[in-house]
Each structure stands twice: as structure tokens, then as C-alpha cells.
Amino acid sequence: QVQLMESGGGLVQAGGSLRLSCGASGSIFRINSMGWYRQAPGKQRELVARITDGGSTNYSDSGKGRFTVSRDNAKNLLYLQMNSLKPEDTAVYYCQANVVIAPSARLHDYWGQGTRVTVSS
């Protein structure tokens, strides 16, 4: 099994910063990519940022310029540095990993339980 666990969420005032962390553990042969998604109440889950094994990154329009995703491949750690936070960033943030658990296995997505970020005005 593959387990993901997020940390670093909390309550912050608008304009502040948070750094989210995600650790991946379990039977992992290779992590193809990892990403951050968020889901606000009553809304669909959306991509925030994603990074591939080679270091290529993608950002949502809302996070671009304010958020930075990084990854420690050796330790299977994922980070999201969030600066200039806005109330609309309030959501549960989920860590996602696209993983192969064996050389012959196909890619599969795994999700953490989420960490809550609340940005007050």
C-alpha cells in the first residue's frame, strides 16, 4: 500500500504564508508525479500545482506567481509554499501521487486525507 500524509495547514490571515508538506510511504517503486489539489466547500476538487519526477511544474491560474511546488525525490516529500494568501484560498488541500509500485505495474493515483487551510480576511 501507498500512504500519503499532509501537514502544515492551519489558520492564517490574508497576506500570510503557509508551507504544506506531504510524505509518501509504502511500497513505491517510482513516483511519476506529485501534486496538490484543493477542494472548497460546495466546489469540485481542483488542481493547485503539480511536479513531475523530472522537475517540470504546472500551476493553476490562481496559484501562479504566489505558490511554489517542490519535491525531494530521495525522501518522497512534496511541498507547497503558499505566499500572499487570499480568503479564496480557503480549502482542504490534498496531496496526490501518481505511482508505480512495481516494475510491471501501471501508474495509479493515491491521495492523502487532506489538510485544512483557512485564510481570514
Side-chain angles (χ1 to χ4, degrees), residues 30-97:
R30 181 175 65 87
I31 298 178
N32 182 59
S33 66
M34 298 186 74
W36 291 99
Y37 293 74
R38 69 186 184 188
Q39 188 168 21
K43 295 185 177 181
Q44 292 185 337
R45 188 175 299 184
E46 64 176 351
L47 173 70
V48 178
R50 186 170 175 267
I51 185 168
T52 69
D53 188 50
S56 298
T57 58
N58 291 323
Y59 294 93
S60 66
D61 290 338
S62 62
K64 195 176 301 180
R66 299 186 297 124
F67 297 173
T68 302
V69 64
S70 60
R71 178 180 169 186
D72 186 334
N73 291 343
K75 298 180 179 180
N76 290 340
L77 294 175
L78 179 73
Y79 305 98
L80 182 68
Q81 179 66 46
M82 302 188 293
N83 299 324
S84 302
L85 284 164
K86 305 174 182 179
E88 51 262 43
D89 295 318
T90 296
V92 176
Y93 285 71
Y94 296 91
C95 176
Q96 177 264 352

Side-chain angles (χ1 to χ4, degrees), residues 2-3 5 9 15 21 46 56 68 79 91 93-94 101 112 117 120:
V2 176
Q3 296 85 37
M5 181 171 290
S21 300
E46 64 176 351
S56 298
T68 302
Y79 305 98
Y93 285 71
Y94 296 91
I101 62 174
V117 172
S120 62

